[in-house]
PDB file of all heavy atoms in Angstrom:
ATOM      1  N   ILE A   1       0.873  -1.167   0.000  1.00 98.00           N
ATOM      2  CA  ILE A   1       0.000   0.000   0.000  1.00 98.00           C
ATOM      3  C   ILE A   1       0.914   1.221   0.000  1.00 98.00           C
ATOM      4  O   ILE A   1       1.963   1.212   0.642  1.00 98.00           O
ATOM      5  CB  ILE A   1      -0.952  -0.003   1.205  1.00 98.00           C
ATOM      6  CG1 ILE A   1      -0.172  -0.076   2.524  1.00 98.00           C
ATOM      7  CG2 ILE A   1      -1.930  -1.164   1.084  1.00 98.00           C
ATOM      8  CD1 ILE A   1      -1.031   0.104   3.743  1.00 98.00           C
ATOM      9  N   ALA A   2       0.525   2.283  -0.707  1.00 98.00           N
ATOM     10  CA  ALA A   2       1.533   3.299  -0.984  1.00 98.00           C
ATOM     11  C   ALA A   2       0.971   4.700  -1.140  1.00 98.00           C
ATOM     12  O   ALA A   2      -0.207   4.909  -1.431  1.00 98.00           O
ATOM     13  CB  ALA A   2       2.301   2.920  -2.255  1.00 98.00           C
ATOM     14  N   SER A   3       1.901   5.648  -0.932  1.00 98.00           N
ATOM     15  CA  SER A   3       1.776   7.027  -1.398  1.00 98.00           C
ATOM     16  C   SER A   3       3.036   7.273  -2.229  1.00 98.00           C
ATOM     17  O   SER A   3       3.981   7.920  -1.786  1.00 98.00           O
ATOM     18  CB  SER A   3       1.692   8.007  -0.224  1.00 98.00           C
ATOM     19  OG  SER A   3       0.514   7.814   0.513  1.00 98.00           O
ATOM     20  N   TRP A   4       3.045   6.704  -3.419  1.00 98.00           N
ATOM     21  CA  TRP A   4       4.238   6.694  -4.279  1.00 98.00           C
ATOM     22  C   TRP A   4       4.143   7.848  -5.269  1.00 98.00           C
ATOM     23  O   TRP A   4       3.264   7.875  -6.119  1.00 98.00           O
ATOM     24  CB  TRP A   4       4.321   5.358  -5.022  1.00 98.00           C
ATOM     25  CG  TRP A   4       5.660   5.073  -5.622  1.00 98.00           C
ATOM     26  CD1 TRP A   4       6.181   5.632  -6.748  1.00 98.00           C
ATOM     27  CD2 TRP A   4       6.640   4.147  -5.132  1.00 98.00           C
ATOM     28  NE1 TRP A   4       7.431   5.119  -7.005  1.00 98.00           N
ATOM     29  CE2 TRP A   4       7.744   4.195  -6.016  1.00 98.00           C
ATOM     30  CE3 TRP A   4       6.696   3.291  -4.034  1.00 98.00           C
ATOM     31  CZ2 TRP A   4       8.870   3.411  -5.846  1.00 98.00           C
ATOM     32  CZ3 TRP A   4       7.831   2.501  -3.869  1.00 98.00           C
ATOM     33  CH2 TRP A   4       8.910   2.571  -4.766  1.00 98.00           C
ATOM     34  N   PRO A   5       5.059   8.831  -5.196  1.00 98.00           N
ATOM     35  CA  PRO A   5       4.918  10.058  -5.992  1.00 98.00           C
ATOM     36  C   PRO A   5       5.062   9.835  -7.496  1.00 98.00           C
ATOM     37  O   PRO A   5       5.745   8.905  -7.950  1.00 98.00           O
ATOM     38  CB  PRO A   5       6.057  10.945  -5.466  1.00 98.00           C
ATOM     39  CG  PRO A   5       6.417  10.376  -4.134  1.00 98.00           C
ATOM     40  CD  PRO A   5       6.183   8.902  -4.252  1.00 98.00           C
ATOM     41  N   ALA A   6       4.431  10.711  -8.248  1.00 98.00           N
ATOM     42  CA  ALA A   6       4.417  10.619  -9.705  1.00 98.00           C
ATOM     43  C   ALA A   6       5.809  10.601 -10.346  1.00 98.00           C
ATOM     44  O   ALA A   6       6.034   9.837 -11.283  1.00 98.00           O
ATOM     45  CB  ALA A   6       3.585  11.764 -10.282  1.00 98.00           C
ATOM     46  N   PRO A   7       6.784  11.423  -9.879  1.00 98.00           N
ATOM     47  CA  PRO A   7       8.069  11.443 -10.584  1.00 98.00           C
ATOM     48  C   PRO A   7       8.806  10.107 -10.596  1.00 98.00           C
ATOM     49  O   PRO A   7       9.650   9.875 -11.466  1.00 98.00           O
ATOM     50  CB  PRO A   7       8.879  12.496  -9.801  1.00 98.00           C
ATOM     51  CG  PRO A   7       7.845  13.388  -9.195  1.00 98.00           C
ATOM     52  CD  PRO A   7       6.712  12.483  -8.846  1.00 98.00           C
ATOM     53  N   ARG A   8       8.484   9.215  -9.666  1.00 98.00           N
ATOM     54  CA  ARG A   8       9.193   7.919  -9.598  1.00 98.00           C
ATOM     55  C   ARG A   8       8.254   6.739  -9.835  1.00 98.00           C
ATOM     56  O   ARG A   8       8.542   5.612  -9.428  1.00 98.00           O
ATOM     57  CB  ARG A   8       9.881   7.784  -8.231  1.00 98.00           C
ATOM     58  CG  ARG A   8      10.990   8.805  -8.022  1.00 98.00           C
ATOM     59  CD  ARG A   8      11.680   8.649  -6.677  1.00 98.00           C
ATOM     60  NE  ARG A   8      10.799   8.966  -5.565  1.00 98.00           N
ATOM     61  CZ  ARG A   8      10.563  10.202  -5.107  1.00 98.00           C
ATOM     62  NH1 ARG A   8      11.132  11.249  -5.718  1.00 98.00           N
ATOM     63  NH2 ARG A   8       9.758  10.409  -4.077  1.00 98.00           N
ATOM     64  N   VAL A   9       7.137   6.984 -10.511  1.00 98.00           N
ATOM     65  CA  VAL A   9       6.142   5.936 -10.648  1.00 98.00           C
ATOM     66  C   VAL A   9       6.621   4.805 -11.556  1.00 98.00           C
ATOM     67  O   VAL A   9       6.136   3.665 -11.449  1.00 98.00           O
ATOM     68  CB  VAL A   9       4.801   6.515 -11.145  1.00 98.00           C
ATOM     69  CG1 VAL A   9       4.856   6.837 -12.645  1.00 98.00           C
ATOM     70  CG2 VAL A   9       3.643   5.575 -10.829  1.00 98.00           C
ATOM     71  N   ASN A  10       7.582   5.061 -12.436  1.00 98.00           N
ATOM     72  CA  ASN A  10       8.099   3.984 -13.273  1.00 98.00           C
ATOM     73  C   ASN A  10       8.737   2.894 -12.421  1.00 98.00           C
ATOM     74  O   ASN A  10       8.590   1.695 -12.705  1.00 98.00           O
ATOM     75  CB  ASN A  10       9.120   4.523 -14.280  1.00 98.00           C
ATOM     76  CG  ASN A  10       9.670   3.428 -15.175  1.00 98.00           C
ATOM     77  OD1 ASN A  10       8.923   2.812 -15.939  1.00 98.00           O
ATOM     78  ND2 ASN A  10      10.962   3.155 -15.084  1.00 98.00           N
ATOM     79  N   ALA A  11       9.423   3.288 -11.353  1.00 98.00           N
ATOM     80  CA  ALA A  11      10.018   2.298 -10.452  1.00 98.00           C
ATOM     81  C   ALA A  11       8.931   1.465  -9.786  1.00 98.00           C
ATOM     82  O   ALA A  11       9.072   0.249  -9.610  1.00 98.00           O
ATOM     83  CB  ALA A  11      10.879   2.996  -9.397  1.00 98.00           C
ATOM     84  N   TRP A  12       7.849   2.109  -9.392  1.00 98.00           N
ATOM     85  CA  TRP A  12       6.709   1.396  -8.801  1.00 98.00           C
ATOM     86  C   TRP A  12       6.192   0.312  -9.751  1.00 98.00           C
ATOM     87  O   TRP A  12       6.010  -0.843  -9.356  1.00 98.00           O
ATOM     88  CB  TRP A  12       5.621   2.416  -8.482  1.00 98.00           C
ATOM     89  CG  TRP A  12       4.244   1.907  -8.195  1.00 98.00           C
ATOM     90  CD1 TRP A  12       3.196   1.840  -9.074  1.00 98.00           C
ATOM     91  CD2 TRP A  12       3.729   1.436  -6.937  1.00 98.00           C
ATOM     92  NE1 TRP A  12       2.069   1.367  -8.451  1.00 98.00           N
ATOM     93  CE2 TRP A  12       2.370   1.113  -7.137  1.00 98.00           C
ATOM     94  CE3 TRP A  12       4.280   1.275  -5.673  1.00 98.00           C
ATOM     95  CZ2 TRP A  12       1.551   0.618  -6.123  1.00 98.00           C
ATOM     96  CZ3 TRP A  12       3.467   0.797  -4.651  1.00 98.00           C
ATOM     97  CH2 TRP A  12       2.124   0.465  -4.879  1.00 98.00           C
ATOM     98  N   ASP A  13       5.989   0.673 -11.006  1.00 98.00           N
ATOM     99  CA  ASP A  13       5.471  -0.283 -11.992  1.00 98.00           C
ATOM    100  C   ASP A  13       6.409  -1.473 -12.162  1.00 98.00           C
ATOM    101  O   ASP A  13       5.982  -2.633 -12.134  1.00 98.00           O
ATOM    102  CB  ASP A  13       5.287   0.409 -13.346  1.00 98.00           C
ATOM    103  CG  ASP A  13       4.258   1.528 -13.325  1.00 98.00           C
ATOM    104  OD1 ASP A  13       3.384   1.514 -12.441  1.00 98.00           O
ATOM    105  OD2 ASP A  13       4.340   2.410 -14.194  1.00 98.00           O
ATOM    106  N   VAL A  14       7.681  -1.192 -12.349  1.00 98.00           N
ATOM    107  CA  VAL A  14       8.660  -2.249 -12.625  1.00 98.00           C
ATOM    108  C   VAL A  14       8.864  -3.158 -11.412  1.00 98.00           C
ATOM    109  O   VAL A  14       8.903  -4.388 -11.531  1.00 98.00           O
ATOM    110  CB  VAL A  14       9.998  -1.626 -13.066  1.00 98.00           C
ATOM    111  CG1 VAL A  14      11.090  -2.695 -13.163  1.00 98.00           C
ATOM    112  CG2 VAL A  14       9.832  -0.902 -14.400  1.00 98.00           C
ATOM    113  N   LEU A  15       8.981  -2.549 -10.238  1.00 98.00           N
ATOM    114  CA  LEU A  15       9.296  -3.339  -9.053  1.00 98.00           C
ATOM    115  C   LEU A  15       8.123  -4.193  -8.583  1.00 98.00           C
ATOM    116  O   LEU A  15       8.328  -5.293  -8.058  1.00 98.00           O
ATOM    117  CB  LEU A  15       9.789  -2.426  -7.928  1.00 98.00           C
ATOM    118  CG  LEU A  15      11.116  -1.715  -8.214  1.00 98.00           C
ATOM    119  CD1 LEU A  15      11.482  -0.764  -7.081  1.00 98.00           C
ATOM    120  CD2 LEU A  15      12.235  -2.723  -8.439  1.00 98.00           C
ATOM    121  N   LEU A  16       6.898  -3.725  -8.758  1.00 98.00           N
ATOM    122  CA  LEU A  16       5.748  -4.570  -8.437  1.00 98.00           C
ATOM    123  C   LEU A  16       5.766  -5.848  -9.263  1.00 98.00           C
ATOM    124  O   LEU A  16       5.493  -6.944  -8.755  1.00 98.00           O
ATOM    125  CB  LEU A  16       4.441  -3.815  -8.712  1.00 98.00           C
ATOM    126  CG  LEU A  16       3.814  -2.996  -7.593  1.00 98.00           C
ATOM    127  CD1 LEU A  16       2.520  -2.360  -8.093  1.00 98.00           C
ATOM    128  CD2 LEU A  16       3.547  -3.834  -6.352  1.00 98.00           C
ATOM    129  N   GLN A  17       6.084  -5.703 -10.521  1.00 98.00           N
ATOM    130  CA  GLN A  17       6.162  -6.861 -11.407  1.00 98.00           C
ATOM    131  C   GLN A  17       7.326  -7.769 -11.015  1.00 98.00           C
ATOM    132  O   GLN A  17       7.188  -9.000 -10.978  1.00 98.00           O
ATOM    133  CB  GLN A  17       6.314  -6.381 -12.856  1.00 98.00           C
ATOM    134  CG  GLN A  17       6.230  -7.470 -13.900  1.00 98.00           C
ATOM    135  CD  GLN A  17       6.348  -6.899 -15.313  1.00 98.00           C
ATOM    136  OE1 GLN A  17       6.961  -5.853 -15.516  1.00 98.00           O
ATOM    137  NE2 GLN A  17       5.776  -7.579 -16.276  1.00 98.00           N
ATOM    138  N   ALA A  18       8.460  -7.165 -10.678  1.00 98.00           N
ATOM    139  CA  ALA A  18       9.633  -7.945 -10.291  1.00 98.00           C
ATOM    140  C   ALA A  18       9.386  -8.740  -9.016  1.00 98.00           C
ATOM    141  O   ALA A  18       9.805  -9.900  -8.902  1.00 98.00           O
ATOM    142  CB  ALA A  18      10.841  -7.024 -10.102  1.00 98.00           C
ATOM    143  N   ARG A  19       8.710  -8.119  -8.022  1.00 98.00           N
ATOM    144  CA  ARG A  19       8.446  -8.828  -6.774  1.00 98.00           C
ATOM    145  C   ARG A  19       7.610 -10.080  -7.014  1.00 98.00           C
ATOM    146  O   ARG A  19       7.781 -11.093  -6.328  1.00 98.00           O
ATOM    147  CB  ARG A  19       7.731  -7.924  -5.771  1.00 98.00           C
ATOM    148  CG  ARG A  19       8.487  -6.699  -5.256  1.00 98.00           C
ATOM    149  CD  ARG A  19       9.755  -7.023  -4.499  1.00 98.00           C
ATOM    150  NE  ARG A  19      10.878  -7.162  -5.380  1.00 98.00           N
ATOM    151  CZ  ARG A  19      11.636  -6.159  -5.820  1.00 98.00           C
ATOM    152  NH1 ARG A  19      11.379  -4.936  -5.440  1.00 98.00           N
ATOM    153  NH2 ARG A  19      12.665  -6.404  -6.627  1.00 98.00           N
ATOM    154  N   ALA A  20       6.700 -10.044  -7.983  1.00 98.00           N
ATOM    155  CA  ALA A  20       5.890 -11.222  -8.302  1.00 98.00           C
ATOM    156  C   ALA A  20       6.765 -12.335  -8.868  1.00 98.00           C
ATOM    157  O   ALA A  20       6.688 -13.490  -8.424  1.00 98.00           O
ATOM    158  CB  ALA A  20       4.794 -10.848  -9.301  1.00 98.00           C
ATOM    159  N   MET A  21       7.605 -12.007  -9.819  1.00 98.00           N
ATOM    160  CA  MET A  21       8.394 -13.025 -10.501  1.00 98.00           C
ATOM    161  C   MET A  21       9.455 -13.635  -9.598  1.00 98.00           C
ATOM    162  O   MET A  21       9.644 -14.858  -9.570  1.00 98.00           O
ATOM    163  CB  MET A  21       9.028 -12.430 -11.763  1.00 98.00           C
ATOM    164  CG  MET A  21       8.003 -12.102 -12.837  1.00 98.00           C
ATOM    165  SD  MET A  21       8.741 -11.545 -14.395  1.00 98.00           S
ATOM    166  CE  MET A  21       9.242  -9.889 -13.942  1.00 98.00           C
ATOM    167  N   GLU A  22      10.171 -12.810  -8.846  1.00 98.00           N
ATOM    168  CA  GLU A  22      11.259 -13.348  -8.035  1.00 98.00           C
ATOM    169  C   GLU A  22      10.757 -14.155  -6.844  1.00 98.00           C
ATOM    170  O   GLU A  22      11.450 -15.046  -6.348  1.00 98.00           O
ATOM    171  CB  GLU A  22      12.169 -12.218  -7.553  1.00 98.00           C
ATOM    172  CG  GLU A  22      11.549 -11.300  -6.519  1.00 98.00           C
ATOM    173  CD  GLU A  22      12.366 -10.040  -6.293  1.00 98.00           C
ATOM    174  OE1 GLU A  22      13.345  -9.828  -7.025  1.00 98.00           O
ATOM    175  OE2 GLU A  22      12.008  -9.268  -5.385  1.00 98.00           O
ATOM    176  N   ASN A  23       9.547 -13.848  -6.375  1.00 98.00           N
ATOM    177  CA  ASN A  23       8.992 -14.555  -5.228  1.00 98.00           C
ATOM    178  C   ASN A  23       8.031 -15.668  -5.622  1.00 98.00           C
ATOM    179  O   ASN A  23       7.494 -16.359  -4.749  1.00 98.00           O
ATOM    180  CB  ASN A  23       8.279 -13.568  -4.302  1.00 98.00           C
ATOM    181  CG  ASN A  23       9.253 -12.670  -3.573  1.00 98.00           C
ATOM    182  OD1 ASN A  23      10.169 -13.143  -2.912  1.00 98.00           O
ATOM    183  ND2 ASN A  23       9.068 -11.359  -3.689  1.00 98.00           N
ATOM    184  N   VAL A  24       7.818 -15.850  -6.913  1.00 98.00           N
ATOM    185  CA  VAL A  24       6.917 -16.871  -7.444  1.00 98.00           C
ATOM    186  C   VAL A  24       5.565 -16.799  -6.707  1.00 98.00           C
ATOM    187  O   VAL A  24       5.085 -17.764  -6.113  1.00 98.00           O
ATOM    188  CB  VAL A  24       7.524 -18.291  -7.344  1.00 98.00           C
ATOM    189  CG1 VAL A  24       6.747 -19.247  -8.256  1.00 98.00           C
ATOM    190  CG2 VAL A  24       8.993 -18.308  -7.712  1.00 98.00           C
ATOM    191  N   CYS A  25       4.975 -15.605  -6.752  1.00 98.00           N
ATOM    192  CA  CYS A  25       3.706 -15.370  -6.061  1.00 98.00           C
ATOM    193  C   CYS A  25       2.951 -14.272  -6.786  1.00 98.00           C
ATOM    194  O   CYS A  25       3.495 -13.592  -7.655  1.00 98.00           O
ATOM    195  CB  CYS A  25       3.963 -14.969  -4.604  1.00 98.00           C
ATOM    196  SG  CYS A  25       4.697 -13.328  -4.407  1.00 98.00           S
ATOM    197  N   TYR A  26       1.689 -14.115  -6.440  1.00 98.00           N
ATOM    198  CA  TYR A  26       0.956 -12.946  -6.909  1.00 98.00           C
ATOM    199  C   TYR A  26       1.474 -11.698  -6.193  1.00 98.00           C
ATOM    200  O   TYR A  26       1.899 -11.764  -5.035  1.00 98.00           O
ATOM    201  CB  TYR A  26      -0.533 -13.088  -6.606  1.00 98.00           C
ATOM    202  CG  TYR A  26      -1.259 -14.109  -7.444  1.00 98.00           C
ATOM    203  CD1 TYR A  26      -1.540 -15.383  -6.946  1.00 98.00           C
ATOM    204  CD2 TYR A  26      -1.685 -13.806  -8.736  1.00 98.00           C
ATOM    205  CE1 TYR A  26      -2.226 -16.329  -7.703  1.00 98.00           C
ATOM    206  CE2 TYR A  26      -2.369 -14.736  -9.508  1.00 98.00           C
ATOM    207  CZ  TYR A  26      -2.630 -15.992  -8.982  1.00 98.00           C
ATOM    208  OH  TYR A  26      -3.307 -16.915  -9.747  1.00 98.00           O
ATOM    209  N   SER A  27       1.420 -10.565  -6.871  1.00 98.00           N
ATOM    210  CA  SER A  27       1.729  -9.301  -6.210  1.00 98.00           C
ATOM    211  C   SER A  27       0.725  -8.242  -6.666  1.00 98.00           C
ATOM    212  O   SER A  27       0.226  -8.293  -7.793  1.00 98.00           O
ATOM    213  CB  SER A  27       3.155  -8.825  -6.513  1.00 98.00           C
ATOM    214  OG  SER A  27       3.234  -8.167  -7.757  1.00 98.00           O
ATOM    215  N   PHE A  28       0.429  -7.324  -5.746  1.00 98.00           N
ATOM    216  CA  PHE A  28      -0.364  -6.161  -6.146  1.00 98.00           C
ATOM    217  C   PHE A  28       0.018  -4.983  -5.276  1.00 98.00           C
ATOM    218  O   PHE A  28       0.589  -5.133  -4.193  1.00 98.00           O
ATOM    219  CB  PHE A  28      -1.870  -6.443  -6.086  1.00 98.00           C
ATOM    220  CG  PHE A  28      -2.433  -6.748  -4.727  1.00 98.00           C
ATOM    221  CD1 PHE A  28      -2.732  -5.740  -3.821  1.00 98.00           C
ATOM    222  CD2 PHE A  28      -2.691  -8.056  -4.344  1.00 98.00           C
ATOM    223  CE1 PHE A  28      -3.268  -6.013  -2.576  1.00 98.00           C
ATOM    224  CE2 PHE A  28      -3.232  -8.349  -3.101  1.00 98.00           C
ATOM    225  CZ  PHE A  28      -3.512  -7.328  -2.212  1.00 98.00           C
ATOM    226  N   GLY A  29      -0.267  -3.794  -5.789  1.00 98.00           N
ATOM    227  CA  GLY A  29       0.018  -2.569  -5.056  1.00 98.00           C
ATOM    228  C   GLY A  29      -1.103  -1.570  -5.238  1.00 98.00           C
ATOM    229  O   GLY A  29      -1.645  -1.436  -6.343  1.00 98.00           O
ATOM    230  N   VAL A  30      -1.476  -0.902  -4.144  1.00 99.00           N
ATOM    231  CA  VAL A  30      -2.519   0.129  -4.184  1.00 99.00           C
ATOM    232  C   VAL A  30      -1.869   1.467  -3.871  1.00 99.00           C
ATOM    233  O   VAL A  30      -1.322   1.675  -2.783  1.00 99.00           O
ATOM    234  CB  VAL A  30      -3.647  -0.171  -3.174  1.00 99.00           C
ATOM    235  CG1 VAL A  30      -4.618   0.995  -3.120  1.00 99.00           C
ATOM    236  CG2 VAL A  30      -4.370  -1.460  -3.560  1.00 99.00           C
ATOM    237  N   ASN A  31      -1.929   2.373  -4.825  1.00 98.00           N
ATOM    238  CA  ASN A  31      -1.357   3.711  -4.674  1.00 98.00           C
ATOM    239  C   ASN A  31      -2.474   4.745  -4.756  1.00 98.00           C
ATOM    240  O   ASN A  31      -3.549   4.484  -5.309  1.00 98.00           O
ATOM    241  CB  ASN A  31      -0.321   3.964  -5.766  1.00 98.00           C
ATOM    242  CG  ASN A  31       0.532   5.184  -5.500  1.00 98.00           C
ATOM    243  OD1 ASN A  31       0.739   5.587  -4.360  1.00 98.00           O
ATOM    244  ND2 ASN A  31       1.044   5.795  -6.564  1.00 98.00           N
ATOM    245  N   ARG A  32      -2.237   5.919  -4.216  1.00 98.00           N
ATOM    246  CA  ARG A  32      -3.223   6.988  -4.251  1.00 98.00           C
ATOM    247  C   ARG A  32      -3.051   7.858  -5.488  1.00 98.00           C
ATOM    248  O   ARG A  32      -2.068   7.723  -6.247  1.00 98.00           O
ATOM    249  CB  ARG A  32      -3.114   7.859  -3.002  1.00 98.00           C
ATOM    250  CG  ARG A  32      -1.779   8.605  -2.876  1.00 98.00           C
ATOM    251  CD  ARG A  32      -1.876   9.777  -1.925  1.00 98.00           C
ATOM    252  NE  ARG A  32      -2.769  10.811  -2.450  1.00 98.00           N
ATOM    253  CZ  ARG A  32      -3.025  11.959  -1.835  1.00 98.00           C
ATOM    254  NH1 ARG A  32      -2.451  12.241  -0.677  1.00 98.00           N
ATOM    255  NH2 ARG A  32      -3.823  12.865  -2.385  1.00 98.00           N
ATOM    256  N   ILE A  33      -3.990   8.770  -5.696  1.00 98.00           N
ATOM    257  CA  ILE A  33      -3.874   9.771  -6.753  1.00 98.00           C
ATOM    258  C   ILE A  33      -4.016  11.151  -6.111  1.00 98.00           C
ATOM    259  O   ILE A  33      -4.212  11.281  -4.904  1.00 98.00           O
ATOM    260  CB  ILE A  33      -4.940   9.580  -7.849  1.00 98.00           C
ATOM    261  CG1 ILE A  33      -6.355   9.769  -7.260  1.00 98.00           C
ATOM    262  CG2 ILE A  33      -4.809   8.221  -8.507  1.00 98.00           C
ATOM    263  CD1 ILE A  33      -7.442   9.869  -8.327  1.00 98.00           C
ATOM    264  N   GLY A  34      -3.907  12.200  -6.945  1.00 98.00           N
ATOM    265  CA  GLY A  34      -4.139  13.564  -6.473  1.00 98.00           C
ATOM    266  C   GLY A  34      -2.866  14.279  -6.043  1.00 98.00           C
ATOM    267  O   GLY A  34      -1.752  13.806  -6.262  1.00 98.00           O
ATOM    268  N   ILE A  35      -3.038  15.440  -5.436  1.00 98.00           N
ATOM    269  CA  ILE A  35      -1.920  16.268  -4.948  1.00 98.00           C
ATOM    270  C   ILE A  35      -2.132  16.488  -3.460  1.00 98.00           C
ATOM    271  O   ILE A  35      -3.208  16.916  -3.034  1.00 98.00           O
ATOM    272  CB  ILE A  35      -1.855  17.611  -5.696  1.00 98.00           C
ATOM    273  CG1 ILE A  35      -1.623  17.364  -7.196  1.00 98.00           C
ATOM    274  CG2 ILE A  35      -0.734  18.488  -5.128  1.00 98.00           C
ATOM    275  CD1 ILE A  35      -1.665  18.630  -8.043  1.00 98.00           C
ATOM    276  N   ASP A  36      -1.126  16.199  -2.659  1.00 98.00           N
ATOM    277  CA  ASP A  36      -1.306  16.309  -1.209  1.00 98.00           C
ATOM    278  C   ASP A  36      -1.018  17.727  -0.710  1.00 98.00           C
ATOM    279  O   ASP A  36      -0.739  18.643  -1.494  1.00 98.00           O
ATOM    280  CB  ASP A  36      -0.474  15.248  -0.468  1.00 98.00           C
ATOM    281  CG  ASP A  36       1.027  15.496  -0.504  1.00 98.00           C
ATOM    282  OD1 ASP A  36       1.481  16.619  -0.842  1.00 98.00           O
ATOM    283  OD2 ASP A  36       1.776  14.552  -0.174  1.00 98.00           O
ATOM    284  N   GLY A  37      -1.068  17.915   0.605  1.00 98.00           N
ATOM    285  CA  GLY A  37      -0.887  19.231   1.198  1.00 98.00           C
ATOM    286  C   GLY A  37       0.508  19.788   1.085  1.00 98.00           C
ATOM    287  O   GLY A  37       0.736  20.975   1.355  1.00 98.00           O
ATOM    288  N   ASN A  38       1.459  18.945   0.669  1.00 97.00           N
ATOM    289  CA  ASN A  38       2.825  19.402   0.412  1.00 97.00           C
ATOM    290  C   ASN A  38       3.095  19.586  -1.076  1.00 97.00           C
ATOM    291  O   ASN A  38       4.249  19.689  -1.490  1.00 97.00           O
ATOM    292  CB  ASN A  38       3.832  18.391   0.995  1.00 97.00           C
ATOM    293  CG  ASN A  38       3.770  18.344   2.514  1.00 97.00           C
ATOM    294  OD1 ASN A  38       3.652  19.376   3.169  1.00 97.00           O
ATOM    295  ND2 ASN A  38       3.853  17.145   3.070  1.00 97.00           N
ATOM    296  N   ASP A  39       2.022  19.602  -1.874  1.00 98.00           N
ATOM    297  CA  ASP A  39       2.093  19.755  -3.339  1.00 98.00           C
ATOM    298  C   ASP A  39       2.828  18.600  -4.016  1.00 98.00           C
ATOM    299  O   ASP A  39       3.416  18.777  -5.089  1.00 98.00           O
ATOM    300  CB  ASP A  39       2.743  21.094  -3.723  1.00 98.00           C
ATOM    301  CG  ASP A  39       1.875  22.279  -3.340  1.00 98.00           C
ATOM    302  OD1 ASP A  39       0.636  22.157  -3.419  1.00 98.00           O
ATOM    303  OD2 ASP A  39       2.439  23.326  -2.938  1.00 98.00           O
ATOM    304  N   VAL A  40       2.795  17.433  -3.411  1.00 98.00           N
ATOM    305  CA  VAL A  40       3.372  16.238  -4.031  1.00 98.00           C
ATOM    306  C   VAL A  40       2.292  15.557  -4.879  1.00 98.00           C
ATOM    307  O   VAL A  40       1.208  15.262  -4.370  1.00 98.00           O
ATOM    308  CB  VAL A  40       3.893  15.260  -2.963  1.00 98.00           C
ATOM    309  CG1 VAL A  40       4.418  13.983  -3.620  1.00 98.00           C
ATOM    310  CG2 VAL A  40       4.987  15.910  -2.125  1.00 98.00           C
ATOM    311  N   PRO A  41       2.569  15.326  -6.176  1.00 98.00           N
ATOM    312  CA  PRO A  41       1.565  14.705  -7.038  1.00 98.00           C
ATOM    313  C   PRO A  41       1.665  13.171  -7.036  1.00 98.00           C
ATOM    314  O   PRO A  41       2.749  12.606  -6.933  1.00 98.00           O
ATOM    315  CB  PRO A  41       1.921  15.256  -8.421  1.00 98.00           C
ATOM    316  CG  PRO A  41       3.419  15.427  -8.363  1.00 98.00           C
ATOM    317  CD  PRO A  41       3.751  15.790  -6.929  1.00 98.00           C
ATOM    318  N   TYR A  42       0.502  12.537  -7.173  1.00 98.00           N
ATOM    319  CA  TYR A  42       0.419  11.066  -7.246  1.00 98.00           C
ATOM    320  C   TYR A  42      -0.471  10.699  -8.428  1.00 98.00           C
ATOM    321  O   TYR A  42      -1.512  11.319  -8.649  1.00 98.00           O
ATOM    322  CB  TYR A  42      -0.185  10.492  -5.971  1.00 98.00           C
ATOM    323  CG  TYR A  42       0.540  10.901  -4.710  1.00 98.00           C
ATOM    324  CD1 TYR A  42       0.160  12.057  -4.019  1.00 98.00           C
ATOM    325  CD2 TYR A  42       1.593  10.150  -4.201  1.00 98.00           C
ATOM    326  CE1 TYR A  42       0.814  12.440  -2.863  1.00 98.00           C
ATOM    327  CE2 TYR A  42       2.254  10.526  -3.044  1.00 98.00           C
ATOM    328  CZ  TYR A  42       1.857  11.672  -2.378  1.00 98.00           C
ATOM    329  OH  TYR A  42       2.503  12.065  -1.231  1.00 98.00           O
TER     330      TYR A  42
END
């Protein structure tokens, strides 16, 4: 579960997939959207 910022979202995509393959298991991740009170975009 995450608050993973937009500028690094490519890492989120790749690593979620990698965790599934290396652990021989299902993987999923839930991230938020929007802009928070510190002006961080998701």
Side-chain angles (χ1 to χ4, degrees):
I1 57 172
S3 294
W4 196 284
R8 295 181 293 277
V9 76
N10 180 63
W12 165 262
D13 297 337
V14 172
L15 295 176
L16 270 181
Q17 188 178 27
R19 296 298 87 85
M21 291 185 285
E22 70 192 6
N23 289 306
V24 196
C25 70
Y26 289 100
S27 82
F28 64 80
V30 173
N31 193 27
R32 64 161 294 181
I33 63 169
I35 299 175
D36 71 15
N38 293 319
D39 293 325
V40 177
Y42 304 90

